[in-house]
Amino acid sequence: MHALRLPNPLALFTLAALLIPSPTPLQAQDDDDGPPELTSGLLSSLRWRSIGPAVASGRIADIAVDPTDHSTWYVAASSGNVWKTTNAGTTWTPIFDNYGSYSIGAIALDPNDPLTLWVGTGENNGQRSVGYGDGVYKSVDGGLSFTNMGL
């Protein structure tokens, strides 16, 4: 008895993509319902902005979510900073810019007081780039300020 062998789905998808004609950009512009033409006027309102810890080299070490407000998160980035969002990740604010270490390895919220945040600097991730730490920091105001509590 022989087993039925099906073709590779990826190979079928690739073949279909090559065989099905797609409209050229000129054809799409002729269509009245198509997207607007890309002009400098259309693009001039766009600005570069940092959207949070998801940048190149952004190794996320830890995440803490406020148990009383699930739209407030703290994210520890091994390659730089503690990031805070109060709108479930739509916008992010760096809250650890002015302290002794850029690399963050751990973060925790006090389960009894969500305004108390503990930040462990440095990372324990042996690879080609590792950042040092200079101790554990504590914030009692939701990340507005931190105090170095030592090593």
Side-chain angles (χ1 to χ4, degrees):
M1 176 176 265
H2 295 288
L4 177 63
R5 186 165 186 223
L6 298 174
N8 181 332
L10 181 59
L12 288 176
F13 177 77
T14 304
L15 181 61
L18 292 172
L19 296 176
I20 298 171
S22 62
T24 65
L26 291 177
Q27 289 172 329
Q29 287 179 357
D30 291 341
D31 193 6
D32 287 339
D33 296 327
E37 184 178 337
L38 207 52
T39 65
S40 61
L42 180 65
L43 296 175
S44 67
S45 63
L46 299 176
R47 300 282 182 253
W48 285 105
R49 64 185 178 101
S50 176
I51 59 170
V55 296
S57 300
R59 295 181 315 279
I60 302 304
D62 206 356
I63 299 172
V65 178
D66 185 335
T68 62
D69 177 8
H70 292 176
S71 64
T72 299
W73 310 343
Y74 300 89
V75 174
S78 299
S79 57
N81 222 317
V82 174
W83 296 83
K84 180 179 180 177
T85 180
T86 57
N87 53 20
T90 302
T91 58
W92 294 87
T93 303
I95 61 172
F96 205 77
D97 278 339
N98 300 317
Y99 298 95
S101 177
Y102 72 92
S103 180
I104 310 300
I107 193 164
L109 282 173
D110 184 326
N112 299 315
D113 179 10
L115 291 178
T116 300
L117 177 67
W118 292 88
V119 173
T121 61
E123 65 175 312
N124 185 15
N125 186 7
Q127 57 179 3
R128 65 185 174 277
S129 60
V130 175
Y132 70 91
D134 70 339
V136 175
Y137 286 77
K138 179 182 180 182
S139 172
V140 294
D141 54 14
L144 294 175
S145 63
F146 290 89
T147 302
N148 187 322
M149 304 305 288
L151 294 173

